[in-house]
Each structure stands twice: as C-alpha cells, then as structure tokens.
Amino acid sequence: MFQYAAARALAIANGAELWVDLREMNKSKLRTFGLDQFNIQARVANSFELPSRPRKSGLGSSILSAWDRRLPYKQITETSYAFNDSVTKLRGSFHLSGYWQSELYFQASAAAIRSDFTLRSPMSSAREVVRADIEASSSPISIHVRRGDYVTNLAANAVHGTCEPEWYQEATRRMLEKVVDARFFVFSDDPQWARENLKVPASTVFVEPRGDGRDGEDMHLMASCHHHIIANSSFSWWGAWLNPKVDKHVIAPRRWFRASEKDDRDLIPVGWIRM
C-alpha cells in the first residue's frame, strides 16, 4: 500500500497512468496480491513493459541493458527508509523500486489515496455486524496486535520485533487519559495470544480473523474506529491512516524496527504519538 500510494501520488503529479509490477509479489510464498480488494487506479504491467533484472551472463545483460535504454522511463531505487523529497519532484515516467514508507510521499494526494483504498466489494455480513457494533460505540478504539512471522521467523523477528504486553498496557492507559467512554476493538493474527496477554481496563471486543483473504475489510473495520493503538505493522498503520478524522488519537511504537540501522524517522505522521 505504501508503494502504491507513493507511485499513485507521483502519477497524479505527472498526469500519468500508473502500472503495477507484480513480479516479486508473484514469487512470494507468504502473500498474494491484495490491492485488487480496493478501487485502485492502476493496471498490471505486461512483462515486455518492465525493466529487466540483472543476469549473470555478460551477453544476456548487455542485450537486456540495451533494450532497457529503449524503455520510456527511468528506474528510481530507494536508498534509505528516510523520506527523500526529490522523489516527489520527479517529472516524466519512472519505475519505482522500494518501500516508500512515509506519508510525506503522498500527503499532497491524500484524498485520492483514501478514495483508491475504498473497498471494491461490499463487506461480508460477519464484518458488517462488527462495523455496526463499532459505529454504535461512543468512542471506539482499535488495538492491533501483530504476531505471525514476526514471532515464528527468526529473520523477521530480528528486523521487526514485537510489541509486548507491557507496551499495550501503557498505551491503553494513555489512551484512556484522552478518551471518555472508550470501547476497545482488538484485531490480531494471533487472537489467543491477545486474549491471554492484553489486560485492558475497559470494555473490549476481540475481533476474530476470518482467514478468507478479505483482510482489506478488517483494515476498514479498524479505520471505522475513532482512535487507534497500532503495532509496528503497516496493516495497522493503514487502518489508522484511512480514518479521516482530524481529531483522532493514534499511539504507535517509538521503535518501528528492532534493527537499529533502519531509519524510521519519517514513518509516523506528525500528530501521532510515538511511545
């Protein structure tokens, strides 16, 4: 979603069509392409429209490089997680490669991005029940607990780490200082861990994951809440960001990455609380 948003904002600024390169996504064993759940304004690029990847063969590389010079765009590769203002000023046609994890890349086109990320299909009946509960609450607050491969995959854990129960306890305490008549809605890929470890001193609803591949709907359930406690997860980042309320409170981890060499200074929007 960060990649799409950054590219979409650049396409808007250039009056250009947006293409999506799915080659890496198609190789992934963890995830499948999910942006088709939303009303995105892009098409999937054909293989002959994309730049080549480096090959070991010198002859193959030279031929493909010569072909690449004929493509109608330049290749722009992210070199740091920190925001690079020069990217927003690019004019022409470009192939972007990177994560682009900062609102600053698409802040000027926020309304269009929120429109693009509306759901393409009606929400499932089970989730509609949850949404009705959220909308009937005076001050609904989402809590997202990200576990999954952040726990089971040693490499992912070394990079990301997880938010522990003590962090959530302090985050809920601080949220309750700001919000009256709070009701918490907990979203997690490990609901059993969340039930056993989150001690929330207020009305709490644990939202069961559906496992039906329609996780964009869960994100929109989070966005239906008025305030948010997010994990170091792009899923809950977007759940909070898609909430358009200007008076929302969002509490996010101070350290987004366990790996200290990753620069996350521009990842959390101004106005959100890092704790």
Side-chain angles (χ1 to χ4, degrees), residues 4 10 15 51 55 71 77 90 116-117 129 133 175 184 212 217 222 237 239 269:
Y4 172 85
L10 196 55
R55 294 188 178 182
L71 293 175
T77 301
L90 292 171
D116 291 358
F117 285 149
V129 171
D133 195 6
M175 187 65 81
F184 292 90
D212 55 4
E217 297 180 16
M222 284 195 282
W237 190 102

Side-chain angles (χ1 to χ4, degrees), residues 5 7 59 73 93 109 141 165-166 219 253 257 262:
L59 177 60
Y73 46 72
S93 297
S109 302
I141 302 167
E166 295 77 15
M219 183 181 292
F257 298 104
K262 296 189 180 299

Side-chain angles (χ1 to χ4, degrees), residues 245-274:
K245 292 182 179 296
V246 295
D247 60 347
K248 64 188 176 186
H249 299 297
V250 182
I251 296 179
R254 182 173 299 280
R255 289 184 59 186
W256 196 261
F257 298 104
R258 170 171 285 174
S260 58
E261 72 275 8
K262 296 189 180 299
D263 189 342
D264 65 358
R265 76 182 88 170
D266 299 317
L267 203 153
I268 301 302
V270 173
W272 293 15
I273 301 166
R274 302 193 78 157

Side-chain angles (χ1 to χ4, degrees), residues 201-269:
S203 175
T204 306
V205 176
F206 289 86
V207 181
E208 291 298 321
R210 301 290 168 183
D212 55 4
R214 300 170 66 172
D215 47 352
E217 297 180 16
D218 296 321
M219 183 181 292
H220 273 271
L221 288 178
M222 284 195 282
S224 297
C225 293
H226 296 179
H227 311 285
H228 312 274
I229 295 173
I230 70 172
N232 53 334
S233 161
S234 59
F235 190 84
S236 53
W237 190 102
W238 281 100
W241 190 87
L242 288 174
N243 171 6
K245 292 182 179 296
V246 295
D247 60 347
K248 64 188 176 186
H249 299 297
V250 182
I251 296 179
R254 182 173 299 280
R255 289 184 59 186
W256 196 261
F257 298 104
R258 170 171 285 174
S260 58
E261 72 275 8
K262 296 189 180 299
D263 189 342
D264 65 358
R265 76 182 88 170
D266 299 317
L267 203 153
I268 301 302

Side-chain angles (χ1 to χ4, degrees), residues 61-76:
S61 295
S62 62
I63 292 172
L64 289 169
S65 295
W67 168 251
D68 283 350
R69 284 194 292 272
R70 297 170 54 194
L71 293 175
Y73 46 72
K74 299 178 181 178
Q75 295 186 54
I76 305 298

Side-chain angles (χ1 to χ4, degrees), residues 13-240:
N14 281 274
E17 182 182 14
L18 177 58
W19 299 352
V20 179
D21 180 353
L22 293 185
R23 289 176 297 179
E24 292 300 319
M25 177 64 69
N26 290 336
K27 294 194 307 180
S28 175
K29 296 180 180 179
L30 291 176
R31 297 176 180 86
T32 57
F33 183 62
L35 293 185
D36 52 1
Q37 297 177 70
F38 306 120
N39 290 300
I40 61 170
Q41 304 299 305
R43 71 168 178 84
V44 177
N46 297 309
S47 58
F48 62 84
E49 296 171 326
L50 296 169
S52 62
R53 295 168 178 158
R55 294 188 178 182
K56 293 182 180 180
S57 167
L59 177 60
S61 295
S62 62
I63 292 172
L64 289 169
S65 295
W67 168 251
D68 283 350
R69 284 194 292 272
R70 297 170 54 194
L71 293 175
Y73 46 72
K74 299 178 181 178
Q75 295 186 54
I76 305 298
T77 301
E78 183 180 47
T79 58
S80 168
Y81 285 125
F83 171 63
N84 181 353
D85 183 54
S86 65
V87 172
T88 65
K89 299 173 182 176
L90 292 171
R91 295 298 178 262
S93 297
F94 303 91
H95 179 275
L96 298 181
S97 179
Y99 291 99
W100 317 107
Q101 290 180 293
S102 174
E103 178 194 38
L104 298 175
Y105 285 115
F106 50 87
Q107 193 171 37
S109 302
I113 301 303
R114 285 195 171 94
S115 177
D116 291 358
F117 285 149
T118 55
L119 293 171
R120 185 181 297 274
S121 301
M123 191 173 285
S124 69
S125 58
R127 291 184 179 88
E128 282 290 2
V129 171
V130 177
R131 180 156 65 179
D133 195 6
I134 291 172
E135 292 177 349
S137 303
S138 298
S139 300
I141 302 167
S142 74
I143 298 179
H144 184 235
V145 179
R146 173 70 158 84
R147 303 278 294 167
D149 60 324
Y150 279 17
V151 176
T152 60
N153 185 299
L154 293 178
N157 183 267
V159 172
H160 298 282
T162 57
C163 297
E164 296 305 313
E166 295 77 15
W167 184 87
Y168 283 105
Q169 184 174 356
E170 178 61 16
T172 54
R173 186 192 68 78
R174 292 183 63 173
M175 187 65 81
L176 288 170
E177 290 180 346
K178 300 175 179 295
V179 178
V180 177
D181 199 20
R183 191 168 190 221
F184 292 90
F185 290 81
V186 179
F187 299 81
S188 180
D189 55 0
D190 190 347
Q192 181 177 347
W193 187 95
R195 287 179 184 277
E196 293 174 353
N197 290 276
L198 295 192
K199 308 302 180 184
V200 182
S203 175
T204 306
V205 176
F206 289 86
V207 181
E208 291 298 321
R210 301 290 168 183
D212 55 4
R214 300 170 66 172
D215 47 352
E217 297 180 16
D218 296 321
M219 183 181 292
H220 273 271
L221 288 178
M222 284 195 282
S224 297
C225 293
H226 296 179
H227 311 285
H228 312 274
I229 295 173
I230 70 172
N232 53 334
S233 161
S234 59
F235 190 84
S236 53
W237 190 102
W238 281 100

